[in-house]
């Protein structure tokens, strides 16, 4: 082909136009529509979801790039962003959930499954499915094929099973969040991962959060994470990580956020933690065992620390002086340790440069002493302070009133913005004020363990409370009906008071209740059937009252207790005391994971109802101290999660069901003082229990009791066997002794008598005796080992025959015995 030079510019322009049109035809025009194949993939993905709140109502029409949560590249038109994080998530900065997200009331989460059509979105760089409910399905392995992903957030989305190692193929990933701790779903804690070696391929990773994911083989976890040079955020809380050798060295030069709480890091602070230099957020709560001191080196190397949590560790001694050098510190939590020292040296230190910024100060449950002086007025930004359970004395300083940000231990009725009130564990007395209507922002009240008395004022039902705790006081009277209007209440703890009357039927209208604790009062009558309407209740205690009648048949309507897929509820900062495994303990952060029913020490009767046997999630069941009768149902095996079972002091009869051995988590069992009979089942956890679990049941037999069952062969007793062996040896010896005496005597008699009969000289020299030798009554015996013969003085010794006969008998006996022995 021939062409002129002058035609080349025109040819070049034509090729450019053709190429542009071709590119546009392939890529589509982003301002008019999206790629058809990707649109179809999104619609298939939508079909796998249940959108009860209508979040995806905009997913119609041809332009998928305009759909809610969908973003497309402006240059190529390909779907690059899919952001479906639940919009009902908020950040909270009070109590234990400081700066952590929580799910607001009014869930708008998507449910269902992740459709594999998402693999068609090959240009996806941003994927956020967090805070949804994907029905306990596994994290899809095909996500590892989306090689362009830079951001992947699957946190708190109700996934379960193993983390697919295919995620290690996402070499461009910078953000990975699989956190399961903060979610509202209990079973999300079942997410596991074999190891962390797959992380070594994610060299661009800046944000990594696997909190709540169980690492099955945690050896080498630190080395694996240490190979991520760009890491800035590391969350590995509650991953069951083991301690690492002190010689392991890592160099986290960029790490700013570190959460290793709720792991087992040993009895000393590891060296690699002390060498960090860029940390701003550090959480080592519940991570150490043994006695240790505050790690002052961390403060020296990280002057920029803003968030420091060392809650619930066995740390002791005084706080280091360099703590005052943390000028950016806004949150300090050191509660539940053994720290000592004068509280004034902490709060009154004029050189403390964090006084203007500190917002959250928790020093409770330590051994601090001294007076709380007016120096606290320098903490202008303080919003929360907890000094409970120390040895602090003296008056409350008036300067507390000047802290405008602090909601306050002073004029309750004027605290319009009061959010939480905790005056527990004090010596408060008198009645409650009746001005609660003015506290419209109040969310939680804890007045437990005081000397308060009287009745609950009706105005207390006015604030939108989620937590109401009045345990261990002297309140009395019937429950006010206004409690049924508290539609937001999640925790109601009125235990250990003097409340009386019947448990009202309107209790069933408190639909949001997660914890109902009415134990140790004087409630009487039957358990109202309406209590079964509390579908969200997970801790129910009516113990130690005067209740009678039967358990309602509808207990299987307690949905949260019965549904294996039940969700956890948010933690509200206060604790509740619950009796499990015969021990009463305070549940705080772990209350959200507890499932318990306690009806003990009442006058309840009848049989164990079937509905109670459908509460799959139940961990603690206590029916002791009642009048229940009949058999223990075999359906008790349905309570797969049961850890503690107490049926003692009742009238249960018949055999213990073999199905009880199917409860793999059972660690406490008390069936004592019933009328049970038959063989005790064996196997699984039952083999670890002692005989105390079965006391007072005379009809029971078999291990671990010493009583054998009918038809059992007696087990050999080593002590008895030794005794039997000794008796057998004695019997053997005795039989042979008597068997040898007779022939021995005969032989000896014949030998001696024969010799004396035929040898006269022997007779005369041996027997020098006549009848005058025995002059009086005397005892005569053959020797030391023979019984004596009593010879009367009047005995006639005719021609020495009697004496001869006696001596011959003695000689014969001794000779015979010698023959037997030898």
């Amino acid at each position: 082909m021939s062409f002129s030079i002058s035609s080349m510019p025109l040819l070049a322009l034509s090729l450019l136009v053709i190429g542009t049109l071709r590119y546009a035809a392939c890529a589509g025009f982003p301002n008019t529509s999206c790629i058809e194949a990707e649109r179809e993939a999104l619609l298939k993905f939508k079909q796998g979801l249940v959108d009860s709140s209508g979040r995806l109502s905009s997913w119609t029409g041809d332009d998928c790039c305009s759909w809610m949560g969908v973003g497309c590249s402006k240059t190529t038109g390909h779907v690059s962003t899919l952001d479906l994080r639940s919009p009902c998530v908020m950040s909270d900065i009070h109590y234990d959930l400081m700066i952590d997200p929580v799910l607001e009331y009014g869930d708008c989460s998507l449910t269902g499954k992740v459709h594999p059509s998402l693999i068609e979105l090959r240009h996806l760089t941003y994927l956020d499915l967090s805070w949804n409910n994907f029905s306990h399905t596994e994290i899809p392995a095909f996500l590892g094929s989306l090689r362009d992903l830079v951001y992947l957030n699957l946190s708190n989305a109700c996934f379960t099973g193993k983390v697919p190692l295919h995620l290690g193929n996402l070499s461009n990933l910078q953000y990975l969040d699989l956190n399961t701790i903060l979610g509202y779903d209990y079973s999300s804690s079942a997410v596991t991962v074999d190891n962390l070696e797959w992380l070594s391929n994610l060299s661009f990773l800046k944000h990594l959060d696997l909190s709540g994911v169980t690492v099955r083989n945690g050896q080498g976890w630190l080395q694996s994470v240490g190979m991520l040079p760009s890491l800035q955020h590391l969350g590995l809380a509650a991953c069951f990580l083991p301690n690492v050798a002190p010689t392991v060295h890592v160099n986290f030069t960029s790490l700013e956020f570190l959460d290793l709480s709720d792991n087992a890091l040993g009895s000393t602070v590891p060296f690699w933690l002390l060498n960090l230099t860029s940390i701003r957020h550090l959480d080592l709560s519940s991570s150490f065992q043994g006695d240790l001191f505050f790690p002052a080196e961390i403060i020296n190397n990280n002057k920029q620390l803003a968030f420091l949590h060392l809650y619930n560790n066995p740390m002791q001694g005084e706080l280091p002086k360099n703590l005052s050098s943390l000028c950016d510190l806004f949150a300090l939590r050191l509660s539940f340790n053994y720290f000592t020292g004068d509280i004034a040296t902490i709060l009154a230190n004029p050189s403390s440069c964090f006084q203007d910024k500190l917002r959250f100060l928790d020093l409770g449950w330590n051994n601090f002493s001294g007076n709380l002086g007016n120096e606290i007025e320098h903490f202008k930004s303080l919003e929360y302070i907890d000094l409970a359970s120390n040895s602090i004395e003296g008056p409350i300083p008036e300067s507390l009133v000047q802290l405008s940000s602090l909601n306050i231990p002073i004029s309750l009725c004027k605290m319009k913005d009061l959010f939480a009130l905790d005056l527990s564990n004090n010596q408060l007395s008198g009645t409650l004020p009746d001005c609660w209507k003015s506290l419209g922002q109040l969310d939680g009240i804890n007045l437990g363990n005081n000397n308060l008395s009287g009745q609950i004022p009706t105005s207390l039902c006015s604030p939108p409370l989620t937590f109401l705790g009045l345990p261990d006081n002297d309140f009395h009277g019937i429950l006010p009906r206004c409690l049924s209007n508290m539609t937001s209440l999640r925790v109601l703890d009125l235990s250990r008071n003097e409340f009386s009357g019947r448990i009202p039927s309107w209790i069933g209208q408190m639909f949001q209740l997660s914890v109902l604790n009415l134990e140790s009062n004087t409630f009487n009558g039957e358990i109202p059937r309406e209590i079964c309407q509390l579908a969200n209740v997970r801790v129910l205690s009516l113990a130690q009252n005067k209740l009678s009648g039967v358990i309602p048949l509808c207990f299987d309507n307690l949905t949260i207790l019965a549904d294996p897929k039940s969700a956890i509820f948010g933690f509200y900062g206060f604790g509740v005391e619950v009796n499990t495994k015969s021990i009463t303990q305070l549940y705080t952060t772990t209350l959200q994971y507890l499932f318990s029913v306690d009806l003990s020490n009442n006058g309840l009767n009848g049989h164990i109802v079937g509905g109670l046997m459908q509460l799959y999630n139940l961990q603690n069941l206590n029916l002791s101290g009642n009048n229940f009768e009949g058999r223990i149902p075999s359906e008790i095996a349905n309570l797969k999660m049961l850890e503690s079972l107490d049926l003692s002091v009742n009238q249960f009869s018949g055999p213990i069901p073999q199905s009880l051995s199917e409860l793999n988590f059972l660690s406490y069992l008390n069936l004592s003082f019933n009328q049970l009979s038959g063989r005790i089942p064996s196997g699984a956890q039952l083999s670890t229990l002692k005989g105390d679990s079965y006391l007072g049941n005379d009809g029971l037999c078999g291990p671990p009791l010493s009583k054998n069952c009918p038809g059992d062969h007696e087990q050999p007793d080593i002590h008895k066997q030794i005794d039997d062996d000794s008796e057998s040896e004695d019997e053997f010896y005795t039989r042979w002794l008597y068997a040898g005496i007779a022939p021995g005597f005969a032989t000896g008699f014949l030998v001696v008598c024969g010799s004396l009969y035929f040898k006269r000289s022997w007779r005369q020299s041996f027997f020098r005796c006549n009848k005058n030798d025995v002059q009086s009554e005397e005892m005569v015996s053959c020797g030391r080992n023979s019984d004596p013969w009593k010879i009367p003085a009047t005995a006639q010794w005719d021609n020495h025959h009697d004496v001869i006969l006696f001596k011959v008998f003695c000689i014969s006996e001794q000779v015979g015995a010698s023959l037997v022995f030898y």
Side-chain angles (χ1 to χ4, degrees), residues 28-288:
F29 292 95
N31 59 349
T32 60
S33 182
C34 66
I35 308 291
E36 180 63 22
E38 296 180 347
R39 176 181 172 276
E40 293 297 327
L42 289 172
L43 289 176
K44 290 181 181 179
F45 170 68
K46 178 185 177 182
Q47 291 176 0
L49 301 176
V50 177
D51 182 18
S52 57
S53 61
R55 287 175 51 193
L56 304 183
S57 58
S58 65
W59 284 34
T60 59
D62 296 332
D63 187 11
C64 66
C65 295
S66 65
W67 294 353
M68 191 281 298
V70 179
C72 298
S73 170
K74 294 182 179 180
T75 58
T76 66
H78 285 291
V79 175
S80 60
T81 299
L82 186 58
D83 186 357
L84 297 180
R85 177 184 177 90
S86 174
C88 291
V89 177
M90 62 173 289
S91 291
D92 202 345
I93 59 171
H94 67 282
Y95 306 137
D96 286 346
L97 300 178
M98 279 181 46
I99 77 169
D100 289 330
V102 293
L103 195 64
E104 271 189 319
Y105 176 72
D107 183 17
C108 51
S109 298
L110 300 170
T111 62
K113 298 181 180 180
V114 179
H115 197 280
S117 62
L118 282 187
I119 199 173
E120 299 297 329
L121 307 180
R122 302 187 184 280
H123 300 274
L124 202 63
T125 61
Y126 186 105
L127 177 60
D128 192 340
L129 302 177
S130 60
W131 293 92
N132 288 292
N133 184 352
F134 290 106
S135 307
H136 310 276
T137 57
E138 294 189 353
I139 297 175
F142 67 77
L143 294 180
S145 300
L146 301 176
R147 299 299 183 94
D148 290 344
L149 274 182
V150 175
Y151 182 104
L152 178 58
N153 190 346
L154 305 178
S155 63
N156 306 301
C158 297
F159 287 111
T160 190
K162 289 187 177 182
V163 175
L165 300 185
H166 295 80
L167 297 184
N169 297 332
L170 304 177
S171 56
N172 293 315
L173 210 58
Q174 298 182 25
Y175 186 107
L176 177 60
D177 193 343
L178 304 180
N179 186 316
T180 67
I181 285 185
L182 300 175
Y184 61 89
D185 185 85
Y186 175 72
S187 64
S188 62
S189 60
V191 178
T192 64
V193 66
D194 289 336
N195 54 63
L196 298 183
E197 296 177 1
W198 55 280
L199 292 173
S200 59
N201 297 328
L202 310 181
S203 57
F204 295 109
L205 209 58
K206 296 181 180 179
H207 181 111
L208 174 63
D209 198 336
L210 301 179
S211 296
V213 177
T214 299
V215 181
R216 293 187 178 277
N217 183 10
Q219 301 299 327
W221 67 268
L222 183 59
Q223 294 90 325
S224 298
V225 175
M227 298 177 66
L228 305 175
S230 303
L231 201 60
Q232 299 175 0
H233 179 116
L234 179 58
L236 294 176
C239 289
F240 293 91
L241 298 176
N243 192 16
V244 297
T247 57
V248 175
H249 175 74
V250 289
N251 189 18
F252 290 117
T253 57
S254 304
L255 197 63
E256 298 180 358
F257 181 106
L258 179 60
D259 186 354
L260 293 177
S261 59
D262 295 293
N263 283 292
L265 301 183
S267 57
T268 59
V269 180
F271 293 136
W272 67 270
L273 268 175
L274 302 178
N275 293 330
L276 299 176
T277 58
S278 304
I279 297 295
R280 291 185 54 81
H281 178 118
L282 181 61
D283 193 341
L284 300 177
S285 303
S286 304
S287 296
F288 299 100

